[in-house]
Amino acid sequence: MPQIPTQTQILVIGGGPGGSFSAAALAREGFEVTLFEADKFPRYHIGESLLPSVRPFLQFVGAEEKVMEQGFCPKPGAAIKFNQHKREGYTDFIGRGPEFGSWNVSRSAFDHLLLQHASSCGVKVFENTKVNTIEFQKQDDPKSRPVAVNYKNSEGKEGRITFDYLVDASGRNGVMSTKYLKNRHNNETLKNIAIWGYWENCGRYKPGTNREGAIWIEALTDESGWAWFIPLEKNLVSVGVVMNHAQSIQKRNAFREESGNPNSSLHDFYLSQVKLAPGLVSDLIPNGRMVEKEGGPIVRQASDYSYSADSYAGPRYRLVGDAACFIDPFFSSGVHLAFTGGLSAAGTIATSIRGAASEEECVKWHDTKVAVSYTRFMLVVLGSYKQMRSQSENVLSDVNEDNFDRAFDLLRPIIQGTADVNKKVTEDEVHRTMDFVKNVFAPTDPELEAAVQQRVAPEFFEGGDILLPSQVEAMFDDEDVKHVLHVVNARKPVHKMFDTQKEFGSEPINGYTIKLVRGELGMVRPQSIVVA
Ligand code: FAD
């Protein structure tokens, strides 16, 4: 095993998707990158359903083919039943061809593949190596530049490494944010708990059609939350329930009383909650059987995972993925956001090192990029909760059997993640989405309508002037929103992020040679692919 260096140009904390992605992107640009991962991979992780946007991201770092060869379960789309009184909506990934589809993955295998890929790109990866403390240029001033970390490996060996730039991709631990900056805020509206397990012998959504393999999301009949059904490889299915945390405690107490068993297990409670998703129970898991996965408990749980730091970057450091923020798994946005932040961190660090823009500008760019992506998802997630928590109120009032998919489709640039990777959201898409918000959510929510009228939406989508938190606060009774809606002009000199017209990778990928070309809004476009 190679020796851990005492100095590196860029240190990345965490080998999950965010850390591996930013490390690989930077190493491919010729920078010296060292990555510390506390765990030994493969390791279990939740977060199995991926958006189609992961494909251009994976192409960007040359990892798409490796993922394709792994045999993960193809994901052609997602079916979402927001309301028990209406049919589900469907967001289709593969209308333009199977190559636009995504996957549902066992994260142990997916994350391992990405970490190994980072290593193959030249990243010096050290597993079983945990960062314990960070040192700053001005002692005890975490607002100054971080300059070194102290680590300990699983054999008890301690050490110190200095660096020029730091990427904190340490997931929910969020070393910088929770230990030093102390700027993480929980999202009070989404204080939820997720309880899940793995099943065999289940059905599939619309078997024999081009929707087979799609995930199924269903609002619970008691309006406390929703359930997920995610088919994985080897006939395994991930089935989870998500509900308001406080309500879950009351429900669990009531369940103990009703069942006459004060010691009833989490497993019993989970099974009782799964039954609140009748579509799931009758069509998808009627013959299912729970199984262990990767040696863990048969029923797992996580809670209070919706939070955000109030800034995502500072002098010579960037926060990426869950270390920065996470909303809620409803639209499967976690890995997408980790990749978005990972690329933004890599791009802005590359720009800063090359002197193409000032570090201050780069910090602002990353901060904005992460905020915009996070906020896009937050809007659609909160809108969806609004409907799931008041099913008799018909929040989605204008939507009927005929226009549901079309209406739902208008949110596609956000919920498929394409708004963050492909291109600038077009004016047409802004208007269509605004119409959707206005016509669908607004009739039961005058405040939301007022906020939309006050051009919150175009500003938000276009990344224009600073949004006024007071307008947005009115939309969702949510403390956290104002922390993330500090969206400033995103039309920064993005083309400076990487060398333009630079060809990377000597081998053509999928018959194409990938060239980076000048990006527009967003970031360098991974689709900037030319036929070899
Ligand atoms: P992680 O994947 O958590 O990686 C962080 C890594 O940092 C870990 O490997 C950890 O060991 C390491 N680390 C931590 N501290 C240190 C340290 N001090 N030193 C060194 N290493 C350290 N996302 C989706 O895309 N789709 C889904 O369907 C989905 N479902 C979800 C369901 C639930 C219930 C929850 C809670 C989340 C879900 N997510 C989903 C979110 C997804 O799991 C995360 O957003 C994603 O894993 C973030 O990637 P990351 O790289 O930022 O962090």
Side-chain angles (χ1 to χ4, degrees), residues 87-90 211 402-410:
R87 76 166 170 83
E88 71 272 17
Y90 188 76
R211 294 190 177 189
D402 299 328
N403 68 10
F404 192 94
D405 285 348
R406 195 190 58 77
F408 189 42
D409 208 35
L410 297 180

Side-chain angles (χ1 to χ4, degrees), residues 51-54 56-57 96 336-337 340 365 368-369 372-377 380 409-426 429-430 433 460-463 490 520-527:
L51 300 183
S53 59
V54 302
F57 278 120
R96 287 177 301 145
H336 165 85
L337 292 174
T340 304
W365 202 93
T368 303
K369 180 73 203 169
V372 168
S373 310
Y374 180 74
T375 309
R376 282 183 175 136
F377 275 97
V380 289
D409 208 35
L410 297 180
L411 300 179
R412 186 159 41 123
I414 301 177
I415 64 176
Q416 296 195 7
T418 41
D420 290 322
V421 289
N422 276 4
K423 57 185 166 68
K424 181 173 169 172
V425 177
T426 65
E429 280 164 341
V430 170
T433 311
F460 155 66
F461 284 109
E462 296 274 32
E520 289 171 18
L521 184 117
M523 49 185 58
V524 172
R525 292 196 285 165
Q527 298 88 327

Side-chain angles (χ1 to χ4, degrees), residues 13-19 36-39 41 43 45-50 107 111 129-131 169-173 175 194 196 228 230 302 305 320-323 326 329 332-336 338:
I13 311 177
F36 288 166
E37 165 53 53
D39 232 320
F41 279 29
R43 55 96 176 89
H45 206 294
I46 187 60
E48 293 144 335
S49 189
L50 306 181
R107 282 285 301 279
D111 291 10
T129 304
K130 184 175 181 199
V131 169
S170 59
R172 284 185 74 183
N173 273 4
V175 188
W196 69 94
W228 79 65
I230 301 175
Y305 36 70
V320 163
D322 281 9
F326 180 61
S332 308
S333 57
V335 171
H336 165 85

Side-chain angles (χ1 to χ4, degrees), residues 175-239:
V175 188
M176 273 293 283
S177 166
T178 61
K179 200 165 169 181
Y180 295 98
L181 301 168
K182 300 197 192 309
N183 66 353
R184 182 179 282 182
H185 303 273
N186 281 327
N187 185 319
E188 296 303 321
T189 315
L190 295 171
K191 250 179 175 294
N192 290 337
I193 183 170
I195 313 173
W196 69 94
Y198 295 89
W199 296 61
E200 285 183 338
N201 213 23
C202 294
R204 285 284 185 269
Y205 178 65
K206 302 224 187 276
T209 71
N210 60 5
R211 294 190 177 189
E212 185 168 351
I215 66 165
W216 169 262
I217 305 288
E218 181 175 356
L220 300 181
T221 49
D222 69 354
E223 303 187 339
S224 64
W226 53 279
W228 79 65
F229 174 92
I230 301 175
L232 299 171
E233 63 277 4
K234 296 189 188 138
N235 211 20
L236 210 58
V237 176
S238 169
V239 177

